[in-house]
Amino acid sequence: MEAGATRRPHRLEMQSDPAPTLIFGYGNPSRGDDAVGPLLVERLQALQQAGDLPGVDLLTDFQLQIEHVLDLRGRERVVFVDAAPDTPGPFSWERVFAIAEPAWTTHSLSPGGLAGVFRGLYGPPPGLYLLAIHGACFELGAGLSSTAQSHLDAAVGYLLARLRSPGGI
């Protein structure tokens, strides 16, 4: 990205009516393994452009923000994809529940905090899941580590199997 440029949320293949499933990869591509969320979405975009993954919208951003509550509207399920230094194994999969974050800001939210905002505005959120991919190197300017690359490969395979299973996720 050029100096002075701003990064906007990257909405990929979104229709006017939201698809039942949203895959939302977030992280900073300039911070090594923090790029795994957006990189996973890039891989899914390639499959989607080949005609695979019907009923799935894709979204990337640097972090979850309060305005992303709008992206949850009209969904049946949302999968958040993020890097995590403390995730055991290559990745973890967990259900996300709405929480009230006492210190939320408009700068950043957790998936549970975003679900809490949704619940306060619109009622029960859709089914929410977090795919946390283990990363170890988050230094500014670092590239993706070989460890995170192999964890990303495993996470993509796992997510695709869930998306393609009867009933999805």
Side-chain angles (χ1 to χ4, degrees), residues 70-147:
L70 299 173
D71 296 308
L72 306 184
R73 292 182 4 191
R75 308 287 181 182
E76 294 176 18
R77 69 199 64 79
V78 176
V79 178
F80 299 102
V81 183
D82 191 19
D86 55 355
T87 298
F91 61 87
S92 66
W93 175 267
E94 62 186 65
R95 183 76 191 254
V96 173
F97 297 97
I99 60 170
E101 286 191 355
W104 67 269
T105 69
T106 58
H107 183 68
S108 176
L109 285 170
S110 70
L114 189 63
V117 172
F118 186 95
R119 182 181 60 200
L121 292 171
Y122 305 110
L128 304 174
Y129 305 89
L130 174 63
L131 177 59
I133 302 172
H134 178 76
C137 178
F138 295 87
E139 297 297 320
L140 184 61
L144 191 67
S145 71
S146 60
T147 299

